[in-house]
Every structure is written in C-alpha cells, then in structure tokens.
Amino acid sequence: MTVTYSVNGENVKFEDLKNLEITKKDYIDYIEAIKKTANDFHKEQKC
C-alpha cells in the first residue's frame, strides 16, 4: 500500500508534515469542505 500526502494540491513528503503550520481558518475551511461533500453526496443519493 502506498500513502501520499498533499497540501493545496501539491505533494508533500511525510517528513515535511512536521513543519506544516495549520491555522484555525485552514482547519475550519477543511471541515466545511468535508461537510459540503457529505451534503452533496447525501442529496445525490435521495434522487
């Protein structure tokens, strides 16, 4: 199995993740994107 990491669409090496700084806004945007994806998927399933 292969695992890859990306930040803003750019590949990141595992060892570089420890240097990453994630702001509160980054985290909130990430959670909102997950919610939107889940809501969109749920709407598609109802049709």
Side-chain angles (χ1 to χ4, degrees):
M1 179 179 357
T2 302
V3 177
T4 59
Y5 303 93
S6 67
V7 176
N8 296 328
E10 296 182 27
N11 288 337
V12 177
K13 294 180 183 174
F14 174 76
E15 51 272 2
D16 294 335
L17 292 175
K18 65 182 175 188
N19 299 323
L20 218 80
E21 290 186 27
I22 299 173
T23 65
K24 185 176 181 179
K25 182 185 179 317
D26 292 333
Y27 184 73
I28 291 171
D29 290 347
Y30 173 70
I31 296 299
E32 292 300 320
I34 291 173
K35 285 181 184 178
K36 182 180 181 326
T37 300
N39 285 336
D40 291 349
F41 178 79
H42 183 69
K43 287 177 187 175
E44 288 177 11
Q45 296 301 311
K46 284 187 171 182
C47 294

